[in-house]
Amino acid sequence: MAQFHQTNQGDRTPSNQHKPRTHKPRTHKPRTHGPRTVLLDDEDLFHQAVSIRGLSLGWDKVWRNKGAAGGDGLGVEVFYKDARGWIGRLRRSLLSGEYRPGPLRVVDIPKKNGKGLRRLEIPCVSDRVVQSSVAQVLSPHFEDEFEPDSFAYRPGRGVTQAVARVSAAQRAGYNWIVDADIRDFFGSVEHSALMERFGESVSDGPLTSLISLWITHAAPQGVGLAQGSPLSPLLANLFLDRLDERFFGRNVRFVRFADDFVIMTKTRERAEAVLQQTESFLAQQGLSLNMDKTQILDFDQGLRFLGHVFVRSLVTKTAPDDRAVGDIQQWMREIARTDTIREKDRKLEQAREAQQRRAGYSPGFRVLYIYESGRRLNFRNKSFTVEEFDGPAAETAEEPGKAGRWTELIAIHNTRVERIEIGPRASLTLAARDLALATHTRIAYVNGHGETVGWTGPVLAQRAGRHMAQAACALDEARRIDLASRFVEGRIRTQRAVLRRLLRDRDRPKAAIDALVVFNRILGRGERTVLRHCKSVSQLMGYEGEAAAVWWPALSALLPTQMQFGKRTRREQTRDGANTVFNFLSWLLHRDITVAVGRAGLHPGFGVLHSAGDNRDACCFDLMEEFRAHLVGGLAVYCINKKIVTRTDFTKVSGGVRMGNKAGGALIRAYEKRVARLVKSPRSGRKLCWRQLMLEQAFAIAAHVDGAEVYRPIEMGY
């Protein structure tokens, strides 16, 4: 249109002004509203969008929509409490180039026709604020380019106007219809083609880079738009504007609503030709028609479009179309209402736990260790007791005869004990075992190396649905790789964080620096981490192995010379003290994780990074990944450097070394002190002890396999 041509008359030569114009009707191309001859200034649009006014308008729209929380779990109410602060921080990060989008929340919702599911990918509230601002800045400019034949997501246009346009075409004699359906449109938009079309309207600059960042973050493979993003409808209209232009003024009537469209002609032959043209044109854009749903018909047969039925000259409204009335926004509000209910339940549970703690009851986070020779577990008045045998032959203390007696050391009510560990030199009475079974208290039997040799406890939780969901996730290769990559990324990120902490205020050995270089290369920045693009679990395991190959030498270099080790060994009998400490702490962590996995209703044997197998706790090993660096590697280095355990605590035996009882007790105390520390949960923002964090992450895995949210590993900086 004329408004997009340059108006500087100095650019026109006299010969251009007076040159005679000839028209060739057969080859004349109808004038459309685009593309532009003068591009919009990218930088100017960017600064409008990231201004305080622009971001405030974006926040107003997000607040009015009352949508659900994104992948970070923070809802609109959280943003509302400090909206001005959030907007200021967003603006600064955008202007400095430090802005990175947060995790998307993936939710599958049923289509209204009951056939299949539609996947929503919901950005974080802060990201939606910026995207809404960008959409509001771009929309008036793109409106000038869009053709009058599209009706979705545009001001002053909607279903009513689209229905009227179809009725008018029927009255004008356009009785034959191509009823078209694009196959998986939002999942098929090629980023390169979309950005090429964007470049026909906007110059290159920071706004172009920001939009490219968003679409790549949502679909790293380079194809697809996130349904749930406030910007996706505008980008969808921009991408399909080429289709609108293709049929504008072509002696047909074209009506498009998002990715649904009809083309009306006066003859069947013309409709068939138009269908072939449509197929060919969409193929050039990387799209295709779903031929099972695409058809040619006339108004005598009846057309169903946008929740209406058109039969001859009659139009009847039926059930609303799932894409015609803001269905996505309605679902996001419904998800938000569900989130609110869950949050209320969580706060009630917190209040209940606080009341119980004031009463001296701390469920889920008390472990009773009985490792010493001559001690046993017994019970009295619904309490577990620890007794010590006073007399000779304490090692065979179940039937000591008259030579001695049992003395009660402590009594703990069963409600205050989550787990009991029985060492190889301790024992328990049948009455204590029966109380544990009756109260669902798990008992772990541990050998002299700290390994778990068996359990007494309740049967596997009757959560068949969740176990099936775990199995489905493990058997779906794409889902398995996605979740496995999160575990590997969590492990390497925590290894890097712990190593950085250990290097504070001390010499930095070359092995530690080399390890940080490898970690940084694997993790990259944001979506550039190679882990997000792995095609198989074995490829992920390769990166995990590469990180482990530098992690253990780095830890060894941080130990006193006499405690350094050549390589990591996990055999029952190790050849050095450091590996013995690593193994002992690993089994303590494994038992904690096993309890957390059970409480979350997960099957311990169904893993994704670690393959399922008989007598293999694959799910427990998966969850352990992100905790190992904190509670095994880092804690072991701390204990050895602080002389909590020393070289003298280990004695040489055939084939290796054995750790003494005193050192085992010291490690248990150090482990308990560490897991009792309060840390800020990256997911909920609450102050939790480490065992609570394990439980929270176990429930996060359950929510992931159930499809309720996307799993995020813990990430802590030091």
PDB file of all heavy atoms in Angstrom, residues 376-406:
ATOM      1  N   ARG A 376      20.913 -52.850  70.990  1.00  0.00           N
ATOM      2  CA  ARG A 376      19.800 -53.421  70.258  1.00  0.00           C
ATOM      3  C   ARG A 376      18.623 -52.461  70.244  1.00  0.00           C
ATOM      4  O   ARG A 376      18.512 -51.565  71.086  1.00  0.00           O
ATOM      5  CB  ARG A 376      19.369 -54.756  70.852  1.00  0.00           C
ATOM      6  CG  ARG A 376      18.625 -54.648  72.166  1.00  0.00           C
ATOM      7  CD  ARG A 376      18.129 -56.005  72.654  1.00  0.00           C
ATOM      8  NE  ARG A 376      17.356 -55.888  73.901  1.00  0.00           N
ATOM      9  CZ  ARG A 376      16.863 -56.919  74.561  1.00  0.00           C
ATOM     10  NH1 ARG A 376      17.074 -58.157  74.115  1.00  0.00           N
ATOM     11  NH2 ARG A 376      16.183 -56.744  75.679  1.00  0.00           N
ATOM     12  N   LEU A 377      17.720 -52.667  69.278  1.00  0.00           N
ATOM     13  CA  LEU A 377      16.478 -51.914  69.177  1.00  0.00           C
ATOM     14  C   LEU A 377      15.383 -52.715  69.874  1.00  0.00           C
ATOM     15  O   LEU A 377      15.207 -53.904  69.608  1.00  0.00           O
ATOM     16  CB  LEU A 377      16.114 -51.695  67.703  1.00  0.00           C
ATOM     17  CG  LEU A 377      14.818 -50.937  67.425  1.00  0.00           C
ATOM     18  CD1 LEU A 377      14.972 -49.468  67.807  1.00  0.00           C
ATOM     19  CD2 LEU A 377      14.425 -51.059  65.949  1.00  0.00           C
ATOM     20  N   ASN A 378      14.625 -52.043  70.746  1.00  0.00           N
ATOM     21  CA  ASN A 378      13.515 -52.691  71.422  1.00  0.00           C
ATOM     22  C   ASN A 378      12.341 -51.713  71.409  1.00  0.00           C
ATOM     23  O   ASN A 378      12.390 -50.684  70.708  1.00  0.00           O
ATOM     24  CB  ASN A 378      13.916 -53.073  72.853  1.00  0.00           C
ATOM     25  CG  ASN A 378      13.082 -54.233  73.396  1.00  0.00           C
ATOM     26  OD1 ASN A 378      12.054 -54.601  72.824  1.00  0.00           O
ATOM     27  ND2 ASN A 378      13.523 -54.797  74.518  1.00  0.00           N
ATOM     28  N   PHE A 379      11.280 -52.010  72.160  1.00  0.00           N
ATOM     29  CA  PHE A 379      10.163 -51.060  72.197  1.00  0.00           C
ATOM     30  C   PHE A 379       9.565 -51.053  73.605  1.00  0.00           C
ATOM     31  O   PHE A 379       9.676 -51.995  74.377  1.00  0.00           O
ATOM     32  CB  PHE A 379       9.114 -51.429  71.147  1.00  0.00           C
ATOM     33  CG  PHE A 379       7.965 -52.239  71.673  1.00  0.00           C
ATOM     34  CD1 PHE A 379       6.728 -51.661  71.908  1.00  0.00           C
ATOM     35  CD2 PHE A 379       8.116 -53.589  71.960  1.00  0.00           C
ATOM     36  CE1 PHE A 379       5.668 -52.407  72.394  1.00  0.00           C
ATOM     37  CE2 PHE A 379       7.061 -54.346  72.437  1.00  0.00           C
ATOM     38  CZ  PHE A 379       5.831 -53.748  72.658  1.00  0.00           C
ATOM     39  N   ARG A 380       8.898 -49.914  73.877  1.00  0.00           N
ATOM     40  CA  ARG A 380       8.179 -49.763  75.138  1.00  0.00           C
ATOM     41  C   ARG A 380       7.113 -48.698  74.944  1.00  0.00           C
ATOM     42  O   ARG A 380       7.394 -47.581  74.518  1.00  0.00           O
ATOM     43  CB  ARG A 380       9.136 -49.335  76.266  1.00  0.00           C
ATOM     44  CG  ARG A 380       8.444 -49.014  77.594  1.00  0.00           C
ATOM     45  CD  ARG A 380       9.456 -48.766  78.700  1.00  0.00           C
ATOM     46  NE  ARG A 380      10.376 -47.674  78.398  1.00  0.00           N
ATOM     47  CZ  ARG A 380      10.062 -46.373  78.574  1.00  0.00           C
ATOM     48  NH1 ARG A 380       8.877 -46.005  79.011  1.00  0.00           N
ATOM     49  NH2 ARG A 380      10.963 -45.445  78.293  1.00  0.00           N
ATOM     50  N   ASN A 381       5.860 -49.051  75.215  1.00  0.00           N
ATOM     51  CA  ASN A 381       4.744 -48.086  75.141  1.00  0.00           C
ATOM     52  C   ASN A 381       4.724 -47.311  73.827  1.00  0.00           C
ATOM     53  O   ASN A 381       4.719 -46.077  73.781  1.00  0.00           O
ATOM     54  CB  ASN A 381       4.821 -47.097  76.309  1.00  0.00           C
ATOM     55  CG  ASN A 381       4.657 -47.762  77.651  1.00  0.00           C
ATOM     56  OD1 ASN A 381       4.017 -48.818  77.758  1.00  0.00           O
ATOM     57  ND2 ASN A 381       5.231 -47.172  78.693  1.00  0.00           N
ATOM     58  N   LYS A 382       4.735 -48.030  72.709  1.00  0.00           N
ATOM     59  CA  LYS A 382       4.689 -47.445  71.374  1.00  0.00           C
ATOM     60  C   LYS A 382       5.903 -46.588  71.048  1.00  0.00           C
ATOM     61  O   LYS A 382       5.889 -45.802  70.106  1.00  0.00           O
ATOM     62  CB  LYS A 382       3.406 -46.634  71.157  1.00  0.00           C
ATOM     63  CG  LYS A 382       2.128 -47.451  71.222  1.00  0.00           C
ATOM     64  CD  LYS A 382       0.911 -46.621  70.873  1.00  0.00           C
ATOM     65  CE  LYS A 382      -0.356 -47.465  70.914  1.00  0.00           C
ATOM     66  NZ  LYS A 382      -1.565 -46.674  70.579  1.00  0.00           N
ATOM     67  N   SER A 383       6.946 -46.727  71.828  1.00  0.00           N
ATOM     68  CA  SER A 383       8.189 -46.007  71.561  1.00  0.00           C
ATOM     69  C   SER A 383       9.282 -47.008  71.225  1.00  0.00           C
ATOM     70  O   SER A 383       9.314 -48.128  71.760  1.00  0.00           O
ATOM     71  CB  SER A 383       8.621 -45.187  72.785  1.00  0.00           C
ATOM     72  OG  SER A 383       7.698 -44.142  73.037  1.00  0.00           O
ATOM     73  N   PHE A 384      10.173 -46.590  70.318  1.00  0.00           N
ATOM     74  CA  PHE A 384      11.364 -47.382  70.060  1.00  0.00           C
ATOM     75  C   PHE A 384      12.390 -47.053  71.143  1.00  0.00           C
ATOM     76  O   PHE A 384      12.563 -45.894  71.529  1.00  0.00           O
ATOM     77  CB  PHE A 384      11.960 -47.051  68.683  1.00  0.00           C
ATOM     78  CG  PHE A 384      11.108 -47.511  67.537  1.00  0.00           C
ATOM     79  CD1 PHE A 384      10.377 -46.611  66.781  1.00  0.00           C
ATOM     80  CD2 PHE A 384      11.037 -48.865  67.213  1.00  0.00           C
ATOM     81  CE1 PHE A 384       9.603 -47.022  65.721  1.00  0.00           C
ATOM     82  CE2 PHE A 384      10.251 -49.300  66.154  1.00  0.00           C
ATOM     83  CZ  PHE A 384       9.528 -48.378  65.412  1.00  0.00           C
ATOM     84  N   THR A 385      13.060 -48.076  71.623  1.00  0.00           N
ATOM     85  CA  THR A 385      14.106 -47.860  72.626  1.00  0.00           C
ATOM     86  C   THR A 385      15.426 -48.409  72.110  1.00  0.00           C
ATOM     87  O   THR A 385      15.460 -49.378  71.341  1.00  0.00           O
ATOM     88  CB  THR A 385      13.764 -48.542  73.960  1.00  0.00           C
ATOM     89  OG1 THR A 385      13.706 -49.967  73.771  1.00  0.00           O
ATOM     90  CG2 THR A 385      12.436 -48.038  74.500  1.00  0.00           C
ATOM     91  N   VAL A 386      16.504 -47.781  72.549  1.00  0.00           N
ATOM     92  CA  VAL A 386      17.851 -48.299  72.285  1.00  0.00           C
ATOM     93  C   VAL A 386      18.400 -48.780  73.621  1.00  0.00           C
ATOM     94  O   VAL A 386      18.446 -48.018  74.596  1.00  0.00           O
ATOM     95  CB  VAL A 386      18.756 -47.220  71.683  1.00  0.00           C
ATOM     96  CG1 VAL A 386      20.170 -47.785  71.468  1.00  0.00           C
ATOM     97  CG2 VAL A 386      18.181 -46.710  70.368  1.00  0.00           C
ATOM     98  N   GLU A 387      18.806 -50.035  73.627  1.00  0.00           N
ATOM     99  CA  GLU A 387      19.315 -50.642  74.866  1.00  0.00           C
ATOM    100  C   GLU A 387      20.756 -51.094  74.667  1.00  0.00           C
ATOM    101  O   GLU A 387      21.167 -51.454  73.561  1.00  0.00           O
ATOM    102  CB  GLU A 387      18.451 -51.834  75.270  1.00  0.00           C
ATOM    103  CG  GLU A 387      17.001 -51.467  75.546  1.00  0.00           C
ATOM    104  CD  GLU A 387      16.139 -52.680  75.826  1.00  0.00           C
ATOM    105  OE1 GLU A 387      16.538 -53.795  75.407  1.00  0.00           O
ATOM    106  OE2 GLU A 387      15.084 -52.530  76.458  1.00  0.00           O
ATOM    107  N   GLU A 388      21.499 -51.057  75.757  1.00  0.00           N
ATOM    108  CA  GLU A 388      22.891 -51.503  75.719  1.00  0.00           C
ATOM    109  C   GLU A 388      23.084 -52.625  76.733  1.00  0.00           C
ATOM    110  O   GLU A 388      22.582 -52.530  77.863  1.00  0.00           O
ATOM    111  CB  GLU A 388      23.826 -50.337  76.026  1.00  0.00           C
ATOM    112  CG  GLU A 388      25.312 -50.675  75.859  1.00  0.00           C
ATOM    113  CD  GLU A 388      26.181 -49.450  75.993  1.00  0.00           C
ATOM    114  OE1 GLU A 388      26.082 -48.747  77.036  1.00  0.00           O
ATOM    115  OE2 GLU A 388      26.950 -49.168  75.062  1.00  0.00           O
ATOM    116  N   PHE A 389      23.809 -53.639  76.315  1.00  0.00           N
ATOM    117  CA  PHE A 389      24.036 -54.795  77.205  1.00  0.00           C
ATOM    118  C   PHE A 389      25.218 -54.511  78.126  1.00  0.00           C
ATOM    119  O   PHE A 389      26.307 -54.133  77.678  1.00  0.00           O
ATOM    120  CB  PHE A 389      24.291 -56.050  76.382  1.00  0.00           C
ATOM    121  CG  PHE A 389      24.468 -57.279  77.217  1.00  0.00           C
ATOM    122  CD1 PHE A 389      23.412 -57.782  77.959  1.00  0.00           C
ATOM    123  CD2 PHE A 389      25.698 -57.916  77.276  1.00  0.00           C
ATOM    124  CE1 PHE A 389      23.566 -58.915  78.741  1.00  0.00           C
ATOM    125  CE2 PHE A 389      25.859 -59.055  78.046  1.00  0.00           C
ATOM    126  CZ  PHE A 389      24.792 -59.555  78.784  1.00  0.00           C
ATOM    127  N   ASP A 390      24.952 -54.660  79.384  1.00  0.00           N
ATOM    128  CA  ASP A 390      25.973 -54.412  80.404  1.00  0.00           C
ATOM    129  C   ASP A 390      26.438 -55.755  80.948  1.00  0.00           C
ATOM    130  O   ASP A 390      25.744 -56.405  81.737  1.00  0.00           O
ATOM    131  CB  ASP A 390      25.385 -53.550  81.529  1.00  0.00           C
ATOM    132  CG  ASP A 390      26.413 -53.241  82.616  1.00  0.00           C
ATOM    133  OD1 ASP A 390      27.615 -53.405  82.345  1.00  0.00           O
ATOM    134  OD2 ASP A 390      25.990 -52.843  83.714  1.00  0.00           O
ATOM    135  N   GLY A 391      27.590 -56.200  80.471  1.00  0.00           N
ATOM    136  CA  GLY A 391      28.107 -57.482  80.919  1.00  0.00           C
ATOM    137  C   GLY A 391      28.998 -58.104  79.871  1.00  0.00           C
ATOM    138  O   GLY A 391      29.212 -57.545  78.798  1.00  0.00           O
ATOM    139  N   PRO A 392      29.539 -59.275  80.118  1.00  0.00           N
ATOM    140  CA  PRO A 392      30.414 -59.944  79.141  1.00  0.00           C
ATOM    141  C   PRO A 392      29.620 -60.482  77.963  1.00  0.00           C
ATOM    142  O   PRO A 392      28.393 -60.526  77.977  1.00  0.00           O
ATOM    143  CB  PRO A 392      31.037 -61.080  79.978  1.00  0.00           C
ATOM    144  CG  PRO A 392      30.013 -61.374  81.011  1.00  0.00           C
ATOM    145  CD  PRO A 392      29.384 -60.052  81.356  1.00  0.00           C
ATOM    146  N   ALA A 393      30.351 -60.890  76.953  1.00  0.00           N
ATOM    147  CA  ALA A 393      29.754 -61.512  75.767  1.00  0.00           C
ATOM    148  C   ALA A 393      28.711 -60.622  75.142  1.00  0.00           C
ATOM    149  O   ALA A 393      27.673 -61.079  74.703  1.00  0.00           O
ATOM    150  CB  ALA A 393      29.145 -62.882  76.110  1.00  0.00           C
ATOM    151  N   ALA A 394      28.996 -59.303  75.109  1.00  0.00           N
ATOM    152  CA  ALA A 394      28.018 -58.363  74.564  1.00  0.00           C
ATOM    153  C   ALA A 394      27.754 -58.603  73.089  1.00  0.00           C
ATOM    154  O   ALA A 394      26.690 -58.292  72.577  1.00  0.00           O
ATOM    155  CB  ALA A 394      28.530 -56.922  74.763  1.00  0.00           C
ATOM    156  N   GLU A 395      28.724 -59.212  72.373  1.00  0.00           N
ATOM    157  CA  GLU A 395      28.538 -59.416  70.942  1.00  0.00           C
ATOM    158  C   GLU A 395      27.408 -60.394  70.653  1.00  0.00           C
ATOM    159  O   GLU A 395      26.801 -60.372  69.595  1.00  0.00           O
ATOM    160  CB  GLU A 395      29.837 -59.954  70.317  1.00  0.00           C
ATOM    161  CG  GLU A 395      31.019 -59.001  70.448  1.00  0.00           C
ATOM    162  CD  GLU A 395      31.688 -59.109  71.812  1.00  0.00           C
ATOM    163  OE1 GLU A 395      31.261 -59.987  72.588  1.00  0.00           O
ATOM    164  OE2 GLU A 395      32.593 -58.307  72.105  1.00  0.00           O
ATOM    165  N   THR A 396      27.109 -61.277  71.604  1.00  0.00           N
ATOM    166  CA  THR A 396      26.041 -62.255  71.411  1.00  0.00           C
ATOM    167  C   THR A 396      24.890 -61.924  72.337  1.00  0.00           C
ATOM    168  O   THR A 396      24.377 -62.774  73.061  1.00  0.00           O
ATOM    169  CB  THR A 396      26.562 -63.665  71.686  1.00  0.00           C
ATOM    170  OG1 THR A 396      27.073 -63.719  73.025  1.00  0.00           O
ATOM    171  CG2 THR A 396      27.691 -64.022  70.719  1.00  0.00           C
ATOM    172  N   ALA A 397      24.468 -60.689  72.284  1.00  0.00           N
ATOM    173  CA  ALA A 397      23.645 -60.147  73.351  1.00  0.00           C
ATOM    174  C   ALA A 397      22.189 -60.546  73.322  1.00  0.00           C
ATOM    175  O   ALA A 397      21.455 -60.152  74.200  1.00  0.00           O
ATOM    176  CB  ALA A 397      23.728 -58.620  73.314  1.00  0.00           C
ATOM    177  N   GLU A 398      21.703 -61.297  72.342  1.00  0.00           N
ATOM    178  CA  GLU A 398      20.280 -61.621  72.343  1.00  0.00           C
ATOM    179  C   GLU A 398      19.916 -62.506  73.537  1.00  0.00           C
ATOM    180  O   GLU A 398      18.874 -62.351  74.135  1.00  0.00           O
ATOM    181  CB  GLU A 398      19.903 -62.324  71.034  1.00  0.00           C
ATOM    182  CG  GLU A 398      19.595 -61.369  69.870  1.00  0.00           C
ATOM    183  CD  GLU A 398      18.460 -60.435  70.179  1.00  0.00           C
ATOM    184  OE1 GLU A 398      17.510 -60.811  70.880  1.00  0.00           O
ATOM    185  OE2 GLU A 398      18.513 -59.290  69.711  1.00  0.00           O
ATOM    186  N   GLU A 399      20.737 -63.422  73.875  1.00  0.00           N
ATOM    187  CA  GLU A 399      20.475 -64.310  75.013  1.00  0.00           C
ATOM    188  C   GLU A 399      21.700 -64.311  75.923  1.00  0.00           C
ATOM    189  O   GLU A 399      22.475 -65.271  75.983  1.00  0.00           O
ATOM    190  CB  GLU A 399      20.166 -65.735  74.510  1.00  0.00           C
ATOM    191  CG  GLU A 399      18.857 -65.839  73.751  1.00  0.00           C
ATOM    192  CD  GLU A 399      17.652 -65.569  74.628  1.00  0.00           C
ATOM    193  OE1 GLU A 399      17.745 -65.749  75.869  1.00  0.00           O
ATOM    194  OE2 GLU A 399      16.607 -65.182  74.089  1.00  0.00           O
ATOM    195  N   PRO A 400      21.926 -63.240  76.653  1.00  0.00           N
ATOM    196  CA  PRO A 400      23.157 -63.153  77.454  1.00  0.00           C
ATOM    197  C   PRO A 400      23.131 -63.970  78.725  1.00  0.00           C
ATOM    198  O   PRO A 400      24.127 -64.044  79.417  1.00  0.00           O
ATOM    199  CB  PRO A 400      23.221 -61.658  77.775  1.00  0.00           C
ATOM    200  CG  PRO A 400      21.783 -61.216  77.796  1.00  0.00           C
ATOM    201  CD  PRO A 400      21.091 -62.034  76.763  1.00  0.00           C
ATOM    202  N   GLY A 401      22.030 -64.563  79.051  1.00  0.00           N
ATOM    203  CA  GLY A 401      21.945 -65.339  80.280  1.00  0.00           C
ATOM    204  C   GLY A 401      21.953 -64.430  81.497  1.00  0.00           C
ATOM    205  O   GLY A 401      21.498 -63.312  81.468  1.00  0.00           O
ATOM    206  N   LYS A 402      22.498 -64.937  82.596  1.00  0.00           N
ATOM    207  CA  LYS A 402      22.486 -64.171  83.841  1.00  0.00           C
ATOM    208  C   LYS A 402      23.743 -63.328  84.043  1.00  0.00           C
ATOM    209  O   LYS A 402      23.964 -62.771  85.091  1.00  0.00           O
ATOM    210  CB  LYS A 402      22.324 -65.131  85.017  1.00  0.00           C
ATOM    211  CG  LYS A 402      21.027 -65.916  84.998  1.00  0.00           C
ATOM    212  CD  LYS A 402      20.920 -66.830  86.188  1.00  0.00           C
ATOM    213  CE  LYS A 402      19.618 -67.628  86.172  1.00  0.00           C
ATOM    214  NZ  LYS A 402      19.512 -68.533  87.339  1.00  0.00           N
ATOM    215  N   ALA A 403      24.592 -63.320  82.982  1.00  0.00           N
ATOM    216  CA  ALA A 403      25.867 -62.642  83.143  1.00  0.00           C
ATOM    217  C   ALA A 403      25.751 -61.129  83.079  1.00  0.00           C
ATOM    218  O   ALA A 403      26.686 -60.434  83.442  1.00  0.00           O
ATOM    219  CB  ALA A 403      26.847 -63.116  82.070  1.00  0.00           C
ATOM    220  N   GLY A 404      24.639 -60.596  82.605  1.00  0.00           N
ATOM    221  CA  GLY A 404      24.494 -59.155  82.474  1.00  0.00           C
ATOM    222  C   GLY A 404      23.046 -58.784  82.256  1.00  0.00           C
ATOM    223  O   GLY A 404      22.145 -59.628  82.307  1.00  0.00           O
ATOM    224  N   ARG A 405      22.798 -57.499  81.964  1.00  0.00           N
ATOM    225  CA  ARG A 405      21.413 -57.053  81.755  1.00  0.00           C
ATOM    226  C   ARG A 405      21.416 -55.924  80.719  1.00  0.00           C
ATOM    227  O   ARG A 405      22.430 -55.289  80.458  1.00  0.00           O
ATOM    228  CB  ARG A 405      20.806 -56.572  83.062  1.00  0.00           C
ATOM    229  CG  ARG A 405      21.512 -55.383  83.680  1.00  0.00           C
ATOM    230  CD  ARG A 405      20.968 -55.070  85.067  1.00  0.00           C
ATOM    231  NE  ARG A 405      21.637 -53.919  85.667  1.00  0.00           N
ATOM    232  CZ  ARG A 405      21.290 -52.646  85.458  1.00  0.00           C
ATOM    233  NH1 ARG A 405      20.258 -52.372  84.674  1.00  0.00           N
ATOM    234  NH2 ARG A 405      21.958 -51.656  86.036  1.00  0.00           N
ATOM    235  N   TRP A 406      20.210 -55.690  80.165  1.00  0.00           N
ATOM    236  CA  TRP A 406      20.021 -54.614  79.182  1.00  0.00           C
ATOM    237  C   TRP A 406      19.650 -53.324  79.913  1.00  0.00           C
ATOM    238  O   TRP A 406      18.779 -53.328  80.773  1.00  0.00           O
ATOM    239  CB  TRP A 406      18.919 -54.971  78.187  1.00  0.00           C
ATOM    240  CG  TRP A 406      19.314 -56.072  77.234  1.00  0.00           C
ATOM    241  CD1 TRP A 406      18.947 -57.374  77.294  1.00  0.00           C
ATOM    242  CD2 TRP A 406      20.148 -55.934  76.099  1.00  0.00           C
ATOM    243  NE1 TRP A 406      19.492 -58.073  76.266  1.00  0.00           N
ATOM    244  CE2 TRP A 406      20.241 -57.214  75.499  1.00  0.00           C
ATOM    245  CE3 TRP A 406      20.839 -54.869  75.515  1.00  0.00           C
ATOM    246  CZ2 TRP A 406      20.983 -57.451  74.350  1.00  0.00           C
ATOM    247  CZ3 TRP A 406      21.571 -55.101  74.385  1.00  0.00           C
ATOM    248  CH2 TRP A 406      21.652 -56.372  73.803  1.00  0.00           C
TER     249      TRP A 406
END
